Amino acid sequence: MTPLPPMLSAHCPTLTAHCPTPTPTRVTYQVAKRINKYDADGNGTLSFPEYETMLKNWEGDDAEFEKDMDKLTSVFDSIDLDKNGTIDKAELTAALKMIDKTATEEGVEKRINKYDDDKDGKVNFEEFEKMISNWGRDEALFKPKPS
């Protein structure tokens, strides 16, 4: 196992002893959340001062990000009605229509197509996480055009 960098080791001395092996999805999610949270200038990278701030808050963020991931998993599981590990157009449309009466099949199809990396016509958990992370940014793209 590769040792942690010295600066990270100082802030997380028990990281390997207390943390379960992270899944790639959880790691991707936490890295993106950390960068978004501490990227004060919004350039998509962390400057050294931003990085230092992130490290100072590392442990508190772990609990917050785990809680967020648990919520996201719960939402995914509740939308995935057939429990096959993916969400198809019909499942996402049904879920969105319950919370947003203006949701359209066309909008749902566009969302799924944008985030369906493996082009199987559905979103798996990792694709769903990306879709949710960009939901607000994408909103204008997927809302029906006024007549």
Side-chain angles (χ1 to χ4, degrees):
M1 184 156 133
T2 307
L4 295 171
M7 184 175 237
L8 191 55
S9 295
H11 292 282
C12 305
T14 58
L15 185 65
T16 56
H18 294 286
C19 294
T21 303
T23 63
T25 299
R26 285 190 183 256
V27 170
T28 301
Y29 178 78
Q30 288 186 1
V31 167
K33 291 292 275 187
R34 286 183 200 282
I35 290 173
N36 288 336
K37 183 173 182 176
Y38 294 103
D39 181 19
D41 58 10
N43 68 355
T45 62
L46 296 179
S47 64
F48 190 73
E50 292 167 337
Y51 177 73
E52 283 182 310
T53 302
M54 179 186 71
L55 290 180
K56 288 176 187 169
N57 296 294
W58 192 273
E59 287 183 29
D61 287 346
D62 275 348
E64 175 188 334
F65 297 150
E66 268 311 302
K67 189 175 171 183
D68 288 349
M69 182 58 86
D70 290 344
K71 284 181 189 176
L72 190 63
T73 301
S74 177
V75 169
F76 181 89
D77 290 344
S78 68
I79 296 172
D80 180 18
L81 298 175
D82 59 11
K83 304 302 178 207
N84 68 352
T86 62
I87 296 173
D88 62 28
K89 186 173 91 172
E91 290 169 324
L92 186 56
T93 300
L96 288 176
K97 285 193 178 214
M98 289 188 335
I99 58 172
D100 179 5
K101 301 298 183 208
T102 64
T104 65
E105 287 185 23
E106 178 187 356
V108 169
E109 188 170 0
K110 285 180 182 178
R111 276 192 201 274
I112 287 178
N113 289 341
K114 180 173 182 180
Y115 293 101
D116 180 18
D117 295 335
D118 58 10
K119 303 301 179 207
D120 64 355
K122 306 171 220 172
V123 288
N124 59 34
F125 185 80
E126 187 173 285
E127 295 163 340
F128 178 74
E129 184 274 320
K130 286 183 212 169
M131 182 174 66
I132 295 299
S133 295
N134 293 299
W135 196 273
R137 212 172 312 151
D138 289 345
E139 196 61 27
L141 297 173
F142 304 121
K143 279 289 186 188
K145 305 269 189 270
S147 305

